[in-house]
Amino acid sequence: MTVLAHRATASDEVTRDALAVLQPGFEGTTAPAWLLRRIGEGLTSVGLFGRNIASPEQLAALTAQLRAERDDVLVAIDEEGGDVTRLEVRGGSSFPGNLALGAVDDTRLTRDVAHELGRRLAECGVNLNWAPSADVNSNPDNPVIGVRSFGADTHLAARHTAAYVEGLQAAGVAACTKHFPGHGDTNVDSHHALPRIDVDLDTLAARELVPFKAAIEAGTKAVMSAHILVPALDPTRPATLSPQILTGLLRKELGYEGLIVTDGMEMHAIAGTYGIERGSVLAIAAGADAICVGGGLADEDTVLRLRDALVAAVREGTLPQDRLADAAARVRALAAWTLGARPDARPEGSRASGIGLTAARRALVVTGSAGPLTGPYVATLTPVANIAVGDETPWGPAAELAELLPGTASGLYPQGATAGEILAAAGERTVVAVVRDAHRHPWMTEVLDDLVEARPDTVVVEMGLPRAEPRGALHIATHGAARVCGRAAAEVVAGAVTGV
């Protein structure tokens, strides 16, 4: 082989490795030609979002289209269940989220829910799920985690994280435990800015890291890094870009050997401070193996920019070629695992049939009593949704209650609405006030206080983190806003109306 030919071969290998570490998204419900072409050139992963999914049948056809180019392609999705759903983005999830499962605190139930969710993903050809969230929600004002966490108790979060990982992977879908080293004690959304966690090493070890250790012991195939600054571990770089955190802590101290995936690189915590090209190079150099991008940037140009930035960094010596090769090898190893995965049999009987609704019913906490009530008027106080949850997925019990009680009326009330407006619309009907994290929104608290004072028979349904004192004649805490949580709440309200 000539020197020129050797250089060309080496260059081709670097380019293939650079493509292999990317997890891009795309627009549309069929794969664009550019994506199929890049898969043929070495792209090993694709990320799916709500915009890519219309139905299970369409999704299965899409993943088959991708696998026609590469049979071991990793098809990833952000399907936590609960508030964060992509599989059921237009109707709401058939499964409650983590907080509801933590409220029940039955690890067998958590494992079975994760297994059934994984089974449905696998049926559609999805083999990597960016879930579960192992974050301990120690800060109740956290704007981005909240009900996505199993709870504020470290050991509860740890045992349910392990159960979720086991259930999901028993269905043949790789789990990606997030957001390392723990996003629960933040008061800033990393989609918008760079959060900072100012706790000491002992607190981190006793609180944040415990669920991740449990996930590693349970065999999680992937771990997702967080775009957070933890000065006790690295005073200058966020976790996604920190060798101390990804290589030193996660690899060496915790002994994790699987795939490390970054959170979305287009999030402002990285894109707004480092830029996605430099950020991607720094992430791979720090120990990450896969670059998640595509939630907001979903085009061929983004893929080529990141590929070329990685190749240039290798040529310039700022990114060791063996580090890029090692990252690509880990991606390919997980892809190979998905081909050989042998899913467990589906649980029989009630454990599989309607398990999501069963879990949602068990998660309810109902305080007070009321009834029989008059026909309800459902007033949903709507906060601005965070980007992870999105605002395209419907939530609340209004539609489910209308199915149970035809003639149910409802309205949506954003910030600025008043109790007077709601009472005028309700007339003689019983007001069912639906909120989400009322403790984080003073305007909601004010409206609820005014409603309960004017109409003591008001029913309150809290579908977020239930931190405020129960109020109203009947208070229902669902521990999440999944469709099944709305259904479970609607059943209670309907029972109060009919007296059944």
Side-chain angles (χ1 to χ4, degrees):
M1 179 182 292
T2 66
V3 172
L4 185 60
H6 175 75
R7 288 176 178 172
T9 301
S11 178
D12 291 344
E13 183 179 353
V14 171
T15 300
R16 285 194 298 272
D17 286 348
L19 277 173
V21 302
L22 302 180
Q23 289 189 351
F26 60 95
E27 298 284 349
T29 55
T30 59
W34 69 261
L35 182 66
L36 299 176
R37 183 169 62 254
R38 300 305 172 189
I39 291 174
E41 294 172 359
L43 186 69
T44 310
S45 308
V46 174
L48 300 181
F49 298 85
R51 62 177 179 251
N52 304 122
I53 300 169
S55 69
E57 296 75 20
Q58 168 270 324
L59 179 55
L62 169 59
T63 58
Q65 186 184 14
L66 297 172
R67 292 205 165 86
E69 297 296 325
R70 182 185 183 117
D71 61 356
D72 67 344
V73 66
L74 286 171
V75 181
I77 198 169
D78 195 4
E79 182 57 54
E80 300 176 15
D83 292 32
V84 180
T85 179
R86 309 302 179 225
L87 196 61
E88 299 181 276
V89 67
R90 289 168 180 79
S93 181
S94 299
F95 303 93
N98 285 3
L99 188 66
L101 295 172
V104 177
D105 195 14
D106 178 344
T107 53
R108 177 179 172 178
L109 178 68
T110 295
R111 188 187 189 281
D112 288 348
V113 166
H115 185 275
E116 179 62 12
L117 177 59
R119 188 192 65 79
R120 295 192 190 185
L121 290 173
E123 275 189 347
C124 296
V126 176
N127 54 14
L128 172 59
N129 191 9
W130 294 318
S133 168
D135 308 295
V136 179
N137 198 57
S138 55
N139 183 350
D141 292 326
N142 194 316
V144 69
I145 301 300
V147 298
R148 300 168 65 197
S149 166
F150 288 110
D153 181 283
T154 297
H155 297 288
L156 179 145
R159 61 180 173 265
H160 285 278
T161 295
Y164 197 106
V165 167
E166 291 167 356
L168 191 65
Q169 294 186 169
V173 175
C176 182
T177 305
K178 62 189 182 186
H179 307 80
F180 187 82
H183 212 309
D185 194 20
T186 60
N187 58 11
V188 172
D189 185 343
S190 50
H191 291 89
H192 303 297
L194 179 61
R196 177 185 176 110
I197 296 182
D198 286 303
V199 297
D200 57 33
L201 291 174
D202 289 342
T203 300
L204 286 168
R207 188 178 67 186
E208 271 75 15
L209 298 183
V210 174
F212 289 97
K213 290 179 180 178
I216 292 169
E217 290 173 2
T220 186
K221 294 296 179 181
V223 169
M224 178 177 283
S225 67
H227 302 331
I228 56 175
L229 189 66
V230 188
L233 297 173
D234 188 329
T236 59
R237 287 187 178 177
T240 295
L241 311 183
S242 170
Q244 294 97 309
I245 294 174
L246 297 189
T247 299
L249 176 58
L250 183 54
R251 288 277 187 231
K252 295 181 179 178
E253 291 188 37
L254 300 186
Y256 176 65
E257 297 181 353
L259 189 75
I260 299 177
V261 183
T262 72
D263 206 343
M265 297 299 285
E266 68 270 38
M267 293 163 63
H268 193 75
I270 299 297
T273 51
Y274 295 87
I276 62 168
E277 293 95 336
R278 180 170 177 246
S280 296
V281 170
L282 291 174
I284 297 296
D289 305 305
I291 301 296
C292 177
V293 64
L297 299 172
D299 53 39
E300 184 176 21
D301 179 64
T302 299
V303 172
L304 296 180
R305 283 163 52 202
L306 296 183
R307 180 202 65 183
D308 293 348
L310 292 167
V311 170
V314 170
R315 289 174 179 166
E316 294 163 2
T318 55
L319 174 62
Q321 183 176 347
D322 59 356
R323 169 77 276 270
L324 178 62
D326 174 64
R330 290 181 190 275
V331 174
R332 295 176 185 128
L334 181 56
W337 175 85
T338 64
L339 280 181
R342 295 290 179 265
D344 288 354
R346 185 183 188 188
E348 296 180 358
S350 62
R351 288 174 59 204
S353 178
I355 192 170
L357 182 56
T358 298
R361 287 169 176 157
R362 290 181 63 185
L364 290 183
V365 174
V366 181
T367 306
S369 62
L373 305 174
T374 61
Y377 179 80
V378 182
T380 304
L381 309 186
T382 57
V384 176
N386 67 55
I387 293 176
V389 173
D391 58 8
E392 68 268 50
T393 303
W395 65 280
E400 300 289 340
L401 191 55
E403 182 180 321
L404 295 172
L405 295 174
T408 295
S410 62
L412 301 178
Y413 295 89
Q415 184 172 357
T418 66
E421 293 174 46
I422 294 171
L423 293 171
E428 297 302 314
R429 293 172 176 269
T430 297
V431 175
V432 179
V434 184
V435 294
R436 203 172 186 176
D437 290 343
H439 70 283
R440 293 199 303 111
H441 303 286
W443 68 274
M444 286 188 191
T445 301
E446 182 179 348
V447 171
L448 289 180
D449 287 342
D450 291 345
L451 284 173
V452 172
E453 182 178 357
R455 297 278 292 272
D457 66 339
T458 295
V459 175
V460 177
V461 181
E462 169 61 83
M463 303 197 76
L465 199 66
R467 291 283 299 179
E469 286 296 318
R471 65 192 67 185
L474 189 66
H475 185 278
I476 305 168
T478 63
H479 299 92
R483 176 176 54 81
V484 287
C485 296
R487 177 72 183 194
E491 290 173 348
V492 174
V493 175
V497 172
T498 61
V500 176

